[in-house]
Amino acid sequence: MLKNNHKITGDPCLTYKVLDTPNEDARSVANAALPSAICDNTLEAGWYRVTSFAGERMPTECVYGGMRCGTSMSIWMNGAYPDTGDVKTVQACAAHYDGDCCKHSYDIEVKNCTDYLVYNLVPVSSCYQAYCFGSELACPAGETSDNNGFTPGCRYEPCLEENHQTLDHWERSVNNTDIGNLCDNTLTPGWYRPISAVGNTMPTECPVGGYKCGTSSPIWMDGSYPSSGEIANVTACVGNYNGGCCTSSYDMQVKNCDDFYIYNLKPTSGCYQAYCFGTEVKCPVGETSDNEGFTPGCEFDPCHSSNYGILEGEMKRSSNYTLQTTDVAIEDSRLTTGWYKIDSVTGNDIVNDSVVMMQCGTLYPLWMEGSLPDVSDKTVDRKVCQSGLYSTCDQEYDIKVRNCGTYRTYYLTQLNVDKSAYCFGTFPVPDPTTTTPTTTRRTPPGNHPFKRRVFLQRTASKRAVSFVNVNMVKEKCPSYEEATQNDKNNRLLEINTVGQSAPVNQFTISTASVPPNTDPCATTEHINDWQRSVAFATDTTQICDNILAEGWYRVISGAGELMPTECPVGGLRCNTAKPIYLYTDDLPAGEEAYPAVGVTVTRTAFASNYDGNCKHTEYQIQIKNCDGYYVYFLKGITGGCTSAYCFGKELPCENGTTSENGFSPGCDTFPDVEVTPFVKATLTEKEAFSEFGVLMVNSQATFECHANDLTDGYKYKTRWYINDIEMKDAVVEGLSKSDVEAGLGRMLEDH
């Protein structure tokens, strides 16, 4: 093999080419094999160095009969080697297989470079002729030597891969206490190398009590490990579950192969005995490590199926999809924070190119800045941008990404903006006529308990408190922000109290709110979004009604149901840039903005722009008085985002205050009262004769709700739950402190 790694200029000791590689022995005069004859007729004239472990010197005696050095006519040097630093011209002779020792000859030069020789060679005149170098050969397979695996001194070497077998059982770890059935009675005698990630060293201390290493009677090494290259004769002791450390033993050898140990093992005399190796153990379920999933360094594994949820079939998250008026926008403001894997025909990786509003099946899509990580990168932090009215990065969130090889998982945070969602995939959504889409969300694993609270309401006319179930936690009433966040997570158990907390943003969009020929008052489409209040000033402009389906809606927000009749000058109200209000200046004299009971009227609504224009965009709406509430016939807005209808003028009560509905007016402080209920259970037995005249004993259980920290002046309500299912027949209201203490808040077996 020829390597051109030096230029042929200057001192040949520095400017040579390499003729071969260290592990080649084909040009050795000891090589009589001719699997593929060498011919130097294409050799480029110049200085060469030989690096083979077979030797660098040309033979100086005739290679009689040729057929050596991997060729037919073997070239030897007819002359002596020069002294250190000298150059000598000599004759190179080609020995022919007919016995002629110099069938062909060539003038070559040799220089002694002190530590090595270099040769100025010329190409040969015909094939098959080749220069000979060295006199050694590579050791046979399974042998090695002190000459880098070449003769002389070849010997058997158990450290070589072909001379030992492997043991790959993580269960052999001395710290594995799982009861196993490993038994080495069928082990073939010989050298073994343990290769499991738990380690390859045999324990040198007794595994007291047995039942380790995946067996009943673990075998440990009574002795010390040898130095590099050495073999030690040691004793392999069998530990026993009865406490014995060496109830039986075997002679064993161990060799230090520098980077690992090998062991000369014998089969055991009986079961269950097995050799122990290593000290590490498997990481707990749901964890991984850089050591193939074994200790040390175990950490949370986002790629394990127990650690992530699945967003399956949500095809419209594709950046190739634009939100339609008939769609319900994807809402990741209700997504539980955690790890997710995506399973969609439109693509499973997060979009990392910027997208504009209305893409990905939502109003405010989110895309990732940066590239997907490699598997070796493990978990990486990334930023995602929320596209909005002003740019494709109005707001940023932090996420994490893990490359699991064939798929990625993502740590997604719950978004704080309604109608916003993460984008995944770039392929078009399949034709619905050929595809039946199904959407499945599996929430990330974890502890998501329902928090059962006691809500206390104080008003001018009455006080009341509701008991929830007997597993109630003792804590303060939640703040408004806590209540809305819990509701978005769907974790807060709905409980009925006299004073309700302010509702969260909820806006259901449908293609038809009322069937044809049906009274609009019967609509089931509700707008429940307190941030539409004209009193709610904003600079985030999150609500946009461009995807609002045409139809009848009832407003049920605690902020109020009436549209404002005065222009919100300058816009930026109702959590939108261009709030829509009810215009009344064009009404006939004496006509009210809102109709009488049962009457439907058509009205004009205008969007107020942030530039001060109170008549930026006109909309025709209808209003009907349903005797106790109003319903509105609304259409989606035009001219792009962000614009939305306003309803109500109130705001949620501040933290620490409340009112009849949790909104202004009338917000007032309430007492910070906590109660801790407990249950008394009794079993009553009565004797009675059955219809067949047999004396029977009937038992009936009674459960009484009590609390030691009740307060006079309040009325209490007890409610009973079994496995989160309310026993509605057991509800008791209007109980005084003495009533509760008397056990009147009870649940009977009949309930």
Side-chain angles (χ1 to χ4, degrees), residues 366 382-384 386 395-399 413 415-417:
L366 280 82
R382 289 288 186 266
K383 295 283 188 183
V384 290
Q386 174 192 298
Q395 187 171 348
E396 282 189 331
Y397 294 86
D398 293 318
I399 67 168
T413 57
L415 305 179
N416 58 16
V417 176

Side-chain angles (χ1 to χ4, degrees), residues 158-200:
C159 291
L160 295 176
E161 184 177 348
E162 56 267 36
N163 289 337
H164 60 252
Q165 300 181 66
T166 58
L167 291 175
D168 189 7
H169 304 107
W170 70 266
E171 296 89 348
R172 293 181 182 271
S173 169
V174 71
N175 288 320
N176 172 30
T177 57
D178 293 340
I179 298 177
N181 57 1
L182 285 180
C183 185
D184 286 336
N185 66 330
T186 60
L187 198 69
T188 302
W191 288 96
Y192 287 86
R193 177 186 175 184
I195 60 172
S196 168
V198 300
N200 81 331

Side-chain angles (χ1 to χ4, degrees), residues 683-730:
L683 186 66
T684 303
E685 295 183 345
K686 294 183 179 180
E687 292 184 347
F689 286 95
S690 70
E691 59 181 315
F692 303 105
V694 178
L695 182 63
M696 306 289 291
V697 177
N698 297 322
S699 301
Q700 181 168 359
T702 302
F703 303 92
E704 296 178 359
C705 184
H706 290 270
N708 292 328
D709 42 9
L710 301 179
T711 304
D712 288 321
Y714 290 95
K715 293 295 184 181
Y716 298 91
K717 175 181 178 180
T718 58
R719 301 173 68 182
W720 293 87
Y721 293 83
I722 298 177
N723 294 331
D724 286 337
I725 300 174
E726 183 178 5
M727 304 293 104
K728 294 186 180 296
D729 291 341

Side-chain angles (χ1 to χ4, degrees), residues 363-364 386 395 417-418 538 540-544 575-576 642:
L363 183 59
Y364 304 105
Q386 174 192 298
Q395 187 171 348
V417 176
D418 284 345
T538 180
T540 57
T541 63
Q542 302 297 348
I543 303 177
C544 184
N575 201 16
T576 192
T642 302

